[in-house]
Amino acid sequence: MTTHISTNKLANTRVLIIGGTSGIGFAVARIALEHGASIIVASSNPDKVTSAITRLKTLYPDDQYTARIAGTVCNLGDPASLEANVLNLYTFSTAPDTFPTQIQTNQTTDKVPLDHVVLTAGDALNLRNPTDSSFDVPYIQSSGTVRYIGGLILAKHAPTYLRQAPSSSITFTSGVNTTRPMPGWTIVTAMGAAIEGMARGLAVDLAPIRVNTVSPGAVLTEIFGSLGAEDMEKLVERFRAGTLVGEIGRPEDVAEAYLYIMKDRFVTGEVVGSNGGRLLK
């Protein structure tokens, strides 16, 4: 009998992916599922949750996978309801009947702790130049609601719902523009820096739960879907030219960075990059 010290690290774990219905988050959901985790995908859009669950069950039709797929709605974009929404999300994600086939007949606990939380959710980019009149306080505040304030509220309640062990982790998402900003990307740069600093502080305050950040480069996801074919081609070529590998990122490749963070019990307070050499170009 062969003992697998790597591929089985996520077996029998619960992984919550907020933003797991599309793009990088969906790829993280797939890779965690393939490594034996039970996954909960969350989004503010009910249709996207339903669609993601359907897609996952189509991609992985065997019972050994479909029994480990769940999803729910959670809106991190409304400051007034954000904390209540996070608590509802955690309650759903740790309920024994979230995965009915895993309920033990002698189970008495009302909660099954999460092992990992991944936040890839974010509002669509709304870039404004700092010299524009529309670059005002409401715009600045709204730009950080999901990624930054939402992340802090998730962390606030994490000790109640995550397993208290170095095997557990929270992973946030920033971006390569945090380190090497492009013109007009000041607000994205600022939010990314806030997220990375937040994660380092939380790594200290939430220990032994590990807290890290993944910083992707340009990744080809559904966020580009609103562009016309010609504009999209120009943008993709621009991003390709800014890397050493000559490619735009793929969600399934960047997802490996999140997998690494979940599996390595000795990494915390770090920023893991996946950017095709953008910082060296």
Side-chain angles (χ1 to χ4, degrees), residues 178-248:
T178 302
T179 305
R180 191 174 181 186
M182 296 187 296
W185 285 61
T186 291
I187 194 67
V188 176
T189 302
M191 288 302 113
I195 290 165
E196 292 179 6
M198 172 185 70
R200 283 190 293 271
L202 290 172
V204 175
D205 289 337
L206 298 186
I209 296 171
R210 299 177 293 106
V211 186
N212 297 281
T213 307
V214 172
S215 177
V219 180
L220 188 60
T221 68
E222 294 90 336
I223 199 170
F224 294 109
S226 60
L227 298 175
E230 184 176 346
D231 289 339
M232 183 172 177
E233 184 177 352
K234 290 179 180 178
L235 188 62
V236 169
E237 284 305 314
R238 176 187 176 188
F239 284 139
R240 283 175 175 161
T243 69
L244 294 178
V245 299
E247 291 185 352
I248 190 170

Side-chain angles (χ1 to χ4, degrees), residues 38 168 188 277:
S38 296
S168 298
V188 176

